[in-house]
């Protein structure tokens, strides 16, 4: 969402990873950005301007002295229009020219002329990347305030193993989004809980629920994008941790309880999006339970209500905002409102699990936010990331 309506100047230089720029253009446009591609002459050996022109829907800039193109757009106009310049792949040569302030082609000239932030995504052979000259040039770019997404490790096109692969494209998108997002949560310590808990009754079996963790992870990701220091306490899920967050993995409700209780006093905001199991088996068998051919009874005992405890023990010395979730299958508003009060929350995000496009596992959610004053606002069905943005907008208003 951070990229919606933004103008991205995508600089493509001449390395084999230039072929990935096609997918990058697609991802940026899918995220709602306009992409103006600028290619070096060597990049055109790896991918044609036509490919990137079709994908971006914009004429691609290649030749500084193209009479027709310059009369229509002009490189200074391209430099001015950009909200962010992304160089992917950035070769050692482009990085060196940028560090030295050389402007001998379209891309390097535009980069000298733009005041937009610059995101450099190096991709090259390991030895070239490790070369002192390249490292010094990257250091120089950092002193200019440019952002760098480090290349990853792996097998490179030259068959060598090592660092030099272009960073994963979703990571480049996430960093771009972060650069373009105002740091409205800078200095805030935030804890987000997410995912299900597993309550074991023998070493291989447990009681749980289908929570995917997507909602909590989106909440953590949006907070990190707004520059909060984020602790993500996650039950077992199969999605990767959002960039820039500290991930704490837990399995059971008791583990989640112990960790959150330890971290809570330092937090400015706690959002409990985890689907914490209310009960756990009273006994954990040391070995796998044998099939005996008759019914099996498992006695369950109460788990602590983590959120209710946090509501009772809010720190005196600082303003701490507590947000809970209420997943309901009936009487949504009544049940959510009584939880809001019982757990002493600032607001509660209520969703109806019986509604399509809502709740466990989906990429979307349709929620209602109910606060202490009794205000109850129903949001339309949105992507979980958009719901997360609305939640943080609301939290930021409480800080004001
Ligand atoms: O009462 P209920 O479980 O429906 O409340 C849901 C809210 O309480 C969620 O925010 C959930 O993360 C939190 N919760 C908790 N500890 C539990 C159960 C739920 O913190 N044992």
């Amino acid at each position: 969402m951070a990229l919606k309506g933004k103008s991205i100047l995508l600089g493509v230089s001449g390395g084999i990873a230039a072929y990935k720029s096609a997918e990058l253009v697609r991802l940026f446009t899918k995220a709602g950005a306009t992409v103006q591609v600028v290619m070096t002459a060597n990049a055109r050996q790896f991918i044609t301007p036509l490919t990137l022109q079709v994908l971006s829907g914009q004429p691609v800039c290649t030749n500084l002295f193209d009479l027709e193109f310059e009369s229509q757009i002009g490189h200074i106009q391209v430099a001015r229009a950009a909200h962010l310049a992304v160089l992917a792949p950035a070769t050692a040569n482009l990085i060196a020219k940028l560090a030295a302030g050389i402007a001998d082609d379209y891309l390097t000239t535009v980069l000298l002329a733009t005041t937009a932030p610059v995101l450099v995504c190096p991709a090259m052979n390991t030895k070239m990347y490790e070369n002192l000259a390249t490292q010094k040039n990257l250091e120089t770019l950092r002193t200019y305030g440019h952002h760098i997404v480090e290349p990853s490790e792996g097998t490179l096109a030259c068959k060598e193993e090592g660092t030099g692969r272009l960073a994963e494209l979703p990571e480049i998108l996430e960093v771009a989004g972060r650069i373009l997002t105002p740091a409205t949560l800078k200095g805030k310590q935030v804890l987000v809980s997410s995912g299900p808990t597993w309550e074991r009754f023998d070493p291989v079996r447990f009681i749980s629920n289908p929570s995917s963790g997507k909602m909590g992870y989106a909440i953590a990701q949006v907070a990190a994008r707004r520059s909060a220091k984020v602790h993500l306490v996650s039950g077992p899920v199969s999605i990767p941790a959002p960039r820039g967050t500290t991930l704490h993995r837990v399995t059971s409700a008791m583990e989640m309880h112990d960790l959150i209780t330890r971290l809570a006093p330092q937090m400015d905001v706690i959002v409990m999006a985890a689907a914490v199991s209310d009960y756990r088996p009273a006994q954990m068998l040391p070995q796998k339970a044998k099939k005996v051919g008759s019914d099996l009874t498992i006695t369950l005992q109460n788990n602590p209500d983590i959120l209710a405890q946090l509501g009772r023990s809010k720190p005196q010395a600082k303003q701490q905002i507590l947000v809970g979730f209420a997943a309901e299958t009936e009487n949504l508003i009544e049940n959510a409102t009584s939880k809001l009060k019982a757990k002493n929350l600032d607001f509660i995000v209520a969703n109806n699990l019986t509604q399509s496009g809502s709740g466990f596992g989906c990429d979307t959610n349709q929620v209602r936010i109910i606060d202490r004053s009794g205000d109850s606002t129903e949001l339309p069905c949105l992507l979980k990331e958009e719901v997360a943005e609305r939640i943080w907008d609301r939290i930021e208003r409480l800080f004001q």
Side-chain angles (χ1 to χ4, degrees):
M1 302 319 117
L3 296 164
K4 209 171 182 166
K6 300 293 182 198
S7 290
I8 305 293
L9 189 162
L10 179 62
V12 184
S13 55
I16 179 62
Y19 81 91
K20 295 183 183 172
S21 60
E23 180 64 3
L24 200 52
V25 171
R26 209 188 57 81
L27 291 174
F28 273 124
T29 38
K30 195 171 159 219
T34 311
V35 185
Q36 174 64 67
V37 178
V38 183
M39 299 175 83
T40 66
N42 290 332
R44 280 180 279 153
Q45 302 292 328
F46 292 96
I47 184 162
T48 71
L50 186 61
T51 305
L52 301 183
Q53 185 153 304
V54 171
L55 289 171
S56 66
Q58 307 283 335
V60 169
C61 311
T62 51
N63 180 5
L64 194 53
F65 304 106
D66 183 317
L67 284 179
E68 196 186 331
F69 195 82
E70 273 299 290
S71 69
Q72 285 166 13
I73 301 181
H75 62 278
I76 298 298
Q77 221 169 311
V78 169
R80 277 197 201 127
H83 291 114
L84 173 70
V86 179
L87 310 181
T91 57
N93 182 47
L94 177 64
I95 290 167
K97 283 193 200 173
L98 201 55
I102 291 171
D104 66 349
D105 66 359
Y106 208 113
L107 181 56
T108 48
T109 305
V110 166
L111 290 172
L112 267 194
T114 191
T115 53
V118 178
L119 174 59
V120 183
C121 311
M124 66 198 72
N125 164 274
T126 307
K127 300 288 182 299
M128 290 173 82
Y129 179 67
E130 288 171 352
N131 190 295
L132 258 185
T134 305
Q135 288 303 315
K136 259 178 89 175
N137 288 332
L138 284 169
E139 217 28 68
T140 304
L141 296 189
R142 284 194 184 93
T143 65
Y144 296 167
H146 293 349
H147 306 263
I148 293 163
V149 183
E150 302 292 344
S152 59
E153 273 183 47
T155 310
L156 306 179
C158 54
K159 306 283 182 280
E160 277 183 30
E161 287 282 332
T163 307
R165 277 167 60 98
L166 183 69
E168 295 302 321
L169 304 187
E171 190 184 352
I172 295 175
L173 241 75
E174 181 55 32
V175 178
R178 186 168 306 183
I179 295 168
L180 290 168
T181 304
T184 44
L185 290 170
K186 199 173 176 67
K188 299 288 184 215
Q189 293 244 46
V190 161
L191 187 152
V192 180
S193 74
S194 189
T197 60
W198 287 2
E199 310 301 325
R200 293 188 192 279
F201 61 89
D202 78 15
V204 294
R205 300 190 183 96
F206 54 84
I207 295 167
S208 189
N209 60 67
S211 169
S212 63
K214 286 180 186 170
M215 190 64 246
Y217 276 52
I219 293 169
Q221 179 159 32
V222 169
R225 220 180 263 161
R226 295 183 183 192
S227 297
K229 169 104 190 58
V230 183
H231 292 270
L232 174 58
V233 179
S234 176
V237 295
S238 54
I239 49 178
R243 188 186 160 92
T245 62
T246 305
L247 177 67
H248 306 267
R249 286 181 206 280
V250 295
T251 306
S252 65
M254 286 308 287
E255 278 175 45
M256 188 175 274
H257 167 269
D258 294 350
L259 186 70
I260 291 180
T261 310
R262 186 163 58 76
L263 293 172
Q266 293 79 293
M267 297 299 136
D268 298 296
V269 184
I270 300 178
V271 182
M272 281 291 298
V276 187
S277 176
D278 291 324
Y279 301 97
R280 65 179 183 278
Q283 261 196 320
M284 155 84 178
L285 301 174
Q287 303 299 335
K288 185 182 167 199
K290 292 274 175 294
K291 187 157 56 182
V292 289
S294 56
D295 291 348
L296 174 72
T297 304
I298 300 169
T299 306
L300 300 176
Q301 72 183 83
N302 255 318
N303 270 330
D305 188 319
I306 307 168
L307 192 52
Q309 277 187 14
L310 295 173
R312 283 194 296 272
S313 56
K314 274 190 163 190
Q316 302 291 318
K318 61 149 77 182
Q319 182 193 11
Q320 183 181 73
I321 293 170
L322 268 190
V323 178
F325 271 71
E328 303 292 339
T329 53
E330 56 179 355
N331 304 329
L332 182 72
I333 299 177
E334 296 78 354
N335 289 343
T337 306
S338 60
K339 280 178 194 172
L340 168 86
K341 289 180 184 150
K343 302 189 190 203
N344 190 23
L345 309 179
D346 292 275
F347 64 84
I348 194 155
V349 183
N351 61 344
N352 184 345
L353 292 180
T354 60
Q355 206 159 15
S356 68
S358 201
F360 293 138
C362 311
D363 288 330
T364 54
N365 211 353
Q366 209 260 296
V367 304
R368 177 180 281 278
I369 295 182
I370 304 171
D371 72 13
R372 275 175 201 270
S373 72
D375 182 81
S376 171
T377 308
E378 188 175 20
L379 302 183
C381 185
L382 298 168
L383 286 171
K384 285 187 171 169
E385 193 181 321
E386 291 172 309
V387 174
E389 285 178 344
R390 303 288 185 100
I391 291 172
W392 284 111
D393 290 346
R394 195 70 178 242
I395 293 171
E396 284 177 19
R397 263 190 272 149
L398 292 175
F399 277 123
Q400 284 157 16

